[in-house]
Amino acid sequence: MTPLRIKICGVTNVKDARACAELGADMIGFNFYPQSPRYIEPEIAAQIVERMPRSAHAVGIFVDASADEIRNTAKRAGIESVQLHGDFSPETCRELAREFRVIRAFRTEARFQPEDAGAFPDCDVLLDAHHIELRGGAGVTCDWSAARATLPFARFLILSGGLNPQNVAHAIAAVAPHAVDVCSGVESAPGVKDYRTIAKFIAAVRTAEC
């Protein structure tokens, strides 16, 4: 059985990135959405990526950016995975998947249908909660039943949205995702990671796998 992957998003500095990786995170997310409180310049992200342990995989988060913007920013930051929030077509994702590992993000709002994920066979799928203003990092739990129903349509499902050390085991039991994603649930402030909480989160995930 493949171990559940753990993604920690919204990292803004080298110290936090190294700590996340050393504590057991498999993926580290860098937010390139300028309106996010966790926004990071691509050049700063590149410096962090260079100093991260090789055990962790860097992911760039984008919202409603063009393919050229995504491509240029990702290359400046030295990352090979891109997470896309917003109105991205299957064609755009297919184009980007020729160069990057693509994670297509969906929000479990009223219009979302699990089969929507099936239109993106070249992508991993991330499910997050709907928030009227924020794109990720809102601390709002997504619809776990909708996430579970999405499994047959996704090659690799990442569960996000309001996860923390207290609820992640319940989320894993309810959804059975391939990976879990956490941001505000392991922070002391936006973009500032709490290492003790990260350790508790990762321990809760590993215990839930047993």
Side-chain angles (χ1 to χ4, degrees):
M1 178 176 168
T2 303
L4 199 69
R5 309 285 282 178
I6 297 172
K7 178 171 172 284
I8 298 180
C9 205
V11 171
T12 59
N13 60 75
V14 170
K15 183 180 177 183
D16 284 359
R18 291 183 64 88
C20 289
E22 289 165 2
L23 287 167
D26 303 291
M27 295 177 276
I28 307 292
F30 300 97
N31 199 317
F32 297 123
Y33 180 45
Q35 297 181 42
S36 170
R38 301 170 184 86
Y39 172 74
I40 187 169
E41 293 283 348
E43 288 75 18
I44 301 299
Q47 295 173 21
I48 299 172
V49 171
E50 287 177 0
R51 297 173 64 184
M52 277 171 44
R54 296 303 176 190
S55 59
H57 190 75
V59 180
I61 288 82
F62 298 88
V63 178
D64 292 325
S66 70
D68 283 341
E69 289 173 322
I70 293 165
R71 187 179 291 110
N72 292 336
T73 298
K75 290 182 177 178
R76 284 163 59 198
I79 61 174
E80 299 177 350
S81 294
V82 296
Q83 179 176 311
L84 310 180
H85 294 253
D87 188 19
F88 287 94
S89 69
E91 292 74 23
T92 297
C93 291
R94 189 178 306 115
E95 174 189 343
L96 289 169
R98 298 190 186 105
E99 301 175 63
F100 307 98
R101 176 183 177 183
V102 177
I103 302 170
R104 177 65 162 89
F106 294 91
R107 297 187 290 177
T108 54
E109 56 187 323
R111 294 177 298 173
F112 173 74
Q113 297 295 322
E115 55 267 29
D116 293 345
F120 298 86
D122 304 296
C123 305
D124 298 342
V125 171
L126 179 142
L127 291 186
D128 200 354
H130 173 68
H131 190 281
I132 194 169
E133 295 177 350
L134 299 177
R135 298 296 186 94
V140 180
T141 305
C142 84
D143 184 338
W144 292 348
S145 62
R148 179 78 182 207
T150 305
L151 271 175
F153 303 99
R155 70 178 188 184
F156 188 89
L157 182 70
I158 305 170
L159 180 66
S160 187
L163 297 180
N164 56 54
Q166 290 72 44
N167 67 10
V168 69
H170 297 293
I172 292 168
V175 179
H178 301 102
V180 290
D181 175 279
V182 65
C183 185
S184 62
V186 294
E187 289 183 332
S188 57
V192 181
K193 302 307 179 189
D194 184 294
Y195 304 157
R196 182 174 298 180
T197 307
I198 290 171
K200 290 180 179 178
F201 182 87
I202 292 174
V205 172
R206 297 304 173 218
T207 299
E209 290 182 298
C210 297

